Amino acid sequence: MLPILLDPAKFKDVLVTAKGEQRAHVALKSLDTLWFNTGTLCNLTCRNCYIESSPKNDRLIYLTAAEVSSYLDEIERDQLGTKLIGFTGGEPFMNPGLPAMLDDALSRGLKAMVLTNAMKPMHKMKVALLDLHRRHGKNLTIRVSVDHHAPALHELERGARSWKPAIDGLVWLASNGFDVHVAGRRFSDESEETVRAGYAQLFANLGVAIDAQNPGTLVLFPEMDPTVDVPEITTACWGILKKSPDSVMCASSRMVIKRKGAERPAVVACTLLPYEPQFELGGSLAESAAAVRLNHPHCAKFCVLGGAACSQ
């Protein structure tokens, strides 16, 4: 669903902006990270979920372990040099095939990361997780969503009674030696310095060894207000912003999804735009190597101006 824009003339033409300037595009430099959306079903309905996940949203259905394996085979066959395999949702631990998918990726010598709310679905797979950790150690990272260091603000986003289960899951992972990261959101009026200090105090109180000053282990995503106008990114913006196209997420990653009713998965440009047909790039990784036109508000707000990426 496209956001409500203050300027409805923007983001209409894939080649030019509303002002007639050449729209910026990003070439795939290398496929460093391949994401799998394991399905949009989630045990929570968050206030402002990037992908609109909920207990009822099955627009993206569960991927199977065999479907994931076929893309991992393509990485090996074509020697793509991919380093990280990411699993996102929805809540990935709701997909019963997740342990097999993780085992497949990790057994090939790849690193794997799971984005989770660390609540009940994860706890149902504790035995499988411990086995994966025992065999693959630090090659498996679990990134837990803790939207703010204060319980009230976290629950404002995630719902009542969502704080304690998430914190319990975070502590369980840390106490069992997992490589644990945290993802937060910048939806308060605090400075980044203040936010990171708040998380640092939380981690210290919990006895969790996460470096709150490291943007890789505590990722703070910019909030995307759909009612706020954002500029379109032109080819001239790279020089003006002193930013390289190679720094944008779609220069080094892609995401595999499976739409409800589809016969096979598809590859899309990034983790934020699974529902937009213009960002679907084909059925294989080879087909997905085309350049991506930055023709969506998320491209500007999240990636170019926000400087965010789902992997570091």
Side-chain angles (χ1 to χ4, degrees):
M1 181 175 64
L2 281 171
I4 300 169
L5 299 171
L6 297 184
D7 184 350
K10 292 181 176 178
F11 304 105
K12 296 295 184 184
D13 190 306
V14 297
L15 298 179
V16 296
T17 68
K19 294 181 179 179
E21 299 171 293
Q22 185 178 355
R23 186 176 304 284
H25 64 276
V26 174
L28 181 66
K29 183 179 179 182
S30 59
L31 187 64
D32 295 339
T33 304
L34 180 62
W35 289 94
F36 290 97
N37 186 296
T38 60
T40 40
L41 287 173
C42 185
N43 55 306
L44 296 177
T45 303
C46 295
R47 182 184 61 163
N48 189 21
C49 177
Y50 296 143
I51 202 167
E52 303 170 13
S53 297
S54 77
K56 296 181 179 180
N57 180 7
D58 61 351
R59 290 175 68 183
L60 303 182
I61 61 175
Y62 287 159
L63 287 172
T64 68
E67 288 167 339
V68 169
S69 186
S70 69
Y71 286 97
L72 300 180
D73 288 344
E74 188 177 355
I75 287 172
E76 287 190 346
R77 185 194 69 214
D78 296 342
Q79 299 181 349
L80 298 181
T82 305
K83 302 176 180 66
L84 175 67
I85 304 299
F87 296 89
T88 184
E91 170 51 53
F93 284 104
M94 289 181 68
N95 186 320
L98 181 65
M101 299 174 194
L102 286 170
D103 193 21
D104 191 356
L106 291 163
S107 295
R108 297 173 190 249
L110 295 163
K111 292 183 179 296
M113 176 186 287
V114 184
L115 311 191
T116 178
N117 55 42
M119 296 174 74
K120 189 174 181 179
M122 185 192 79
H123 288 279
K124 290 181 176 180
M125 293 187 178
K126 277 183 175 179
V127 173
L129 267 178
L130 289 170
D131 178 60
L132 287 167
H133 175 61
R134 178 184 60 80
R135 290 187 291 115
H136 301 290
K138 295 297 183 180
N139 281 339
L140 173 61
T141 298
I142 310 293
R143 183 192 287 170
V144 179
S145 296
V146 181
D147 284 336
H148 195 269
H149 52 80
L153 286 180
H154 173 87
E155 293 196 343
L156 179 66
E157 173 64 30
R158 302 223 157 217
R161 299 180 297 279
S162 61
W163 171 263
K164 186 178 185 302
I167 295 303
D168 288 348
L170 174 67
V171 171
W172 179 83
L173 288 164
S175 65
N176 280 280
F178 286 86
D179 183 34
V180 187
H181 297 180
V182 163
R185 294 173 77 146
R186 293 288 305 278
F187 59 87
S188 68
D189 293 330
E190 302 160 293
S191 67
E192 181 170 340
E193 181 180 25
T194 300
V195 171
R196 289 191 179 278
Y199 277 103
Q201 187 61 58
L202 171 66
F203 298 154
N205 292 343
L206 296 174
V208 172
I210 298 175
D211 182 0
Q213 303 306 318
N214 183 338
T217 53
L218 172 59
V219 184
L220 296 177
F221 291 122
E223 199 66 0
M224 296 184 291
D225 187 340
T227 65
V228 174
D229 198 14
V230 294
E232 296 183 280
I233 305 300
T234 70
T235 53
C237 288
W238 303 124
I240 295 169
L241 297 170
K242 295 181 172 57
K243 193 177 183 76
S244 168
D246 292 345
S247 67
V248 180
M249 185 161 51
C250 54
S252 59
S253 68
R254 292 289 186 263
M255 183 169 76
V256 176
I257 64 170
K258 190 174 185 182
R259 304 187 193 281
K260 187 175 183 178
E263 292 184 2
R264 57 176 294 187
V267 186
V268 296
C270 80
T271 57
L272 299 176
L273 298 168
Y275 305 131
E276 300 293 332
Q278 65 175 309
F279 291 96
E280 185 170 320
L281 304 175
S284 68
L285 299 180
E287 292 170 338
S288 76
V292 177
R293 300 281 175 175
L294 303 186
N295 190 36
H296 194 281
H298 289 357
C299 303
K301 178 68 174 178
F302 191 88
C303 294
V304 177
L305 300 177
C310 287
S311 59
Q312 296 293 324

